[in-house]
Amino acid sequence: MKKSQRKILKRTQFGNPILRIKAKKVSAKFLQTVEFKKLTKQMIYTMRRTHGVGLAAPQVGESLNFAVMQMRPTPTRPNLKMKGPIIIVNPKIIRYSKEKVSEWEGCLSFYGVRGSVLRSKSITVEYNNEKGEKKKEEATGFWARIFQHEIDHLNGIVYVDQMKDMKKLITLQEFKDRILKKKK
Ligand code: ZN
């Protein structure tokens, strides 16, 4: 990896208006630019180094309709399977399962907190990859959750908006002390 790609980008934090607007659609032409290639590499690097499983462009200050995702074991989720990384451009969820599940989520734009969010257990999503190829994917479990969380970002929605019970918004320390320990 080139040195220019090994850069931890600054994450926009909750309260920044860029997280509250719909991101601009990305053109096929933009996918060919050095700017896009560099930005996606830096975003994947940033996501890995900060133990994230997804990162949307508005979270690094760019109001553009794409995100990166990668599932792998993290300090608070040691049991996650390896999947990705993938780049999703102009994604759209075309099916949500009626069955929903609650699970704890974090977000690189909400430093030090966790919240429990009810989301569809499975979804069908359409997107373009970084080469502009059309993809259609059925996702389930935590992978489906990452899609829903990241695509919300691209529409100006953050995970706390999806929470039904604000008593389940807690600090990372409380999450580690009470929830993680209980799970073991
Ligand atoms: Zn997030």
Side-chain angles (χ1 to χ4, degrees):
M1 188 184 268
K2 287 184 207 151
K3 202 178 170 218
S4 66
Q5 295 163 359
R6 290 194 311 264
K7 184 185 174 191
I8 297 182
L9 300 168
K10 199 174 164 211
R11 279 83 65 212
T12 46
Q13 291 298 296
F14 178 54
N16 190 311
I18 201 168
L19 295 174
R20 290 313 199 166
I21 56 173
K22 219 172 147 61
K24 265 179 248 124
K25 203 173 169 198
V26 174
S27 68
K29 209 175 161 191
F30 182 68
L31 303 182
Q32 306 301 322
T33 63
V34 174
E35 186 190 349
F36 175 75
K37 288 172 189 171
K38 187 176 161 195
L39 186 59
T40 50
K41 290 205 168 82
Q42 290 178 337
M43 283 171 67
I44 290 169
Y45 183 75
T46 301
M47 169 177 67
R48 286 179 179 154
R49 288 292 302 271
T50 54
H51 304 302
V53 289
L55 185 62
Q59 291 184 277
V60 292
E62 301 290 343
S63 188
L64 295 167
N65 204 324
F66 72 91
V68 300
M69 292 169 48
Q70 181 174 31
M71 196 161 72
R72 65 211 169 90
T74 65
T76 53
R77 295 186 180 283
N79 300 323
L80 282 184
K81 281 188 214 137
M82 301 285 284
K83 207 168 164 89
I86 62 166
I87 299 167
I88 57 170
V89 180
N90 302 325
K92 192 172 174 18
I93 295 172
I94 56 166
R95 179 194 63 91
Y96 290 89
S97 67
K98 280 200 188 106
E99 190 185 347
K100 294 188 174 192
V101 281
S102 281
E103 187 55 74
W104 293 91
E105 290 183 22
C107 178
L108 296 176
S109 296
F110 287 76
Y111 184 74
V113 288
R114 289 287 186 275
S116 179
V117 191
L118 187 67
R119 294 195 190 269
S120 288
K121 191 177 179 184
S122 71
I123 54 152
T124 305
V125 59
E126 285 180 345
Y127 61 91
N128 290 307
N129 68 8
E130 68 279 13
K131 293 175 191 144
E133 296 161 343
K134 271 202 159 166
K135 298 276 173 185
K136 187 174 178 178
E137 189 176 333
E138 306 226 348
T140 185
F142 204 70
W143 192 237
R145 180 169 293 274
I146 304 171
F147 269 115
Q148 291 173 80
H149 180 119
E150 299 311 322
I151 294 168
D152 271 356
H153 272 305
L154 300 174
N155 289 303
I157 297 162
V158 291
Y159 80 100
V160 295
D161 298 343
Q162 304 284 21
M163 288 182 63
K164 302 279 180 261
D165 180 3
M166 293 310 280
K167 290 189 192 100
K168 288 193 171 155
L169 185 68
I170 65 175
T171 68
L172 180 58
Q173 192 58 53
E174 286 293 324
F175 176 75
K176 284 178 179 166
D177 291 348
R178 299 190 303 114
I179 313 291
L180 272 192
K181 277 180 189 159
K182 224 183 274 172
K183 274 188 177 173
K184 275 174 194 166

